Amino acid sequence: MGASRVIVPGNFPIGCLPSYLTAMAMPEPSAYDSTACLKDLNLFAAKHNTQLQQAVAALRASYPDAAIAYADYFNSFLSLLKGGPALGFDANSTHKACCGAGGRYNYDLRLMCGVEGTAVCADPSAYVSWDGIHMTQAAYKAMSRLIYHGRYLQPQILSFREKNGQT
């Protein structure tokens, strides 16, 4: 259809999202990895991403005149979690929703953000997750920088310069 540059995003490490951490909570500490994420869910997402990368490689072969890249959401998100405080996120809130109804991860499927009984955190920019499913604007901004200015776009088909800290 004429596209000359295409970016195909991978899946997030879903075992790190407040919605999944709440819904699939496990009593065994061994079910969690060093980033306090659910191992099995992240393994599932990683397998999906492996298949997706193979499909992207096939697209590249089929369309040699197009620049087709894979955006590694999985590892860029993990990098964001691990480096949260250095990126301006509250270390105690990287797995909690900013807008929610309480609980360990401030997420309740029956009380989604915006309904009566939920509350919004004082500083959304200190949180990675907005509502347990979606990221905050600050997290999207940090992740886009990791992808477009870092090592999480394969191959690197874009060149964006940063101006005054802006992408």
Side-chain angles (χ1 to χ4, degrees):
M1 301 206 54
S4 61
R5 284 191 248 178
V6 177
I7 297 174
V8 180
N11 202 355
F12 289 96
I14 59 175
C16 299
L17 302 179
S19 56
Y20 285 97
L21 286 164
T22 300
M24 306 298 286
M26 302 293 287
E28 304 86 18
S30 62
Y32 298 85
D33 64 18
S34 62
T35 57
C37 300
L38 288 162
K39 291 179 188 178
D40 287 346
L41 289 176
N42 282 355
L43 179 61
F44 175 74
K47 286 183 179 186
H48 164 85
N49 288 338
T50 297
Q51 295 292 312
L52 183 59
Q53 288 176 67
Q54 291 171 358
V56 169
L59 280 174
R60 279 192 208 112
S62 296
Y63 300 97
D65 294 333
I68 303 172
Y70 171 75
D72 187 356
Y73 278 25
F74 189 95
N75 287 305
S76 60
F77 188 86
L78 287 178
S79 179
L80 189 143
L81 285 182
K82 292 174 185 175
L87 296 168
F89 299 102
D90 177 4
N92 297 315
S93 301
T94 56
H95 291 79
K96 293 180 180 179
C98 168
C99 181
R104 182 173 182 183
Y105 303 107
N106 198 32
Y107 179 83
D108 186 331
L109 180 61
R110 297 163 298 173
L111 293 171
M112 300 298 288
C113 180
V115 302
E116 189 175 334
T118 62
V120 176
C121 65
D123 183 8
S125 68
Y127 283 70
V128 171
S129 178
W130 168 247
D131 60 1
I133 300 167
H134 305 96
M135 293 193 307
T136 61
Q137 290 299 310
Y140 277 119
K141 183 177 182 178
M143 201 165 120
S144 71
R145 284 189 174 151
L146 290 168
I147 291 170
Y148 298 126
H149 301 290
R151 64 183 186 274
Y152 299 109
L153 187 62
Q154 302 140 7
Q156 183 58 259
I157 62 171
L158 303 171
S159 58
F160 291 120
R161 291 185 322 199
E162 288 198 57
K163 294 187 245 177
N164 300 326
Q166 300 293 316
T167 300

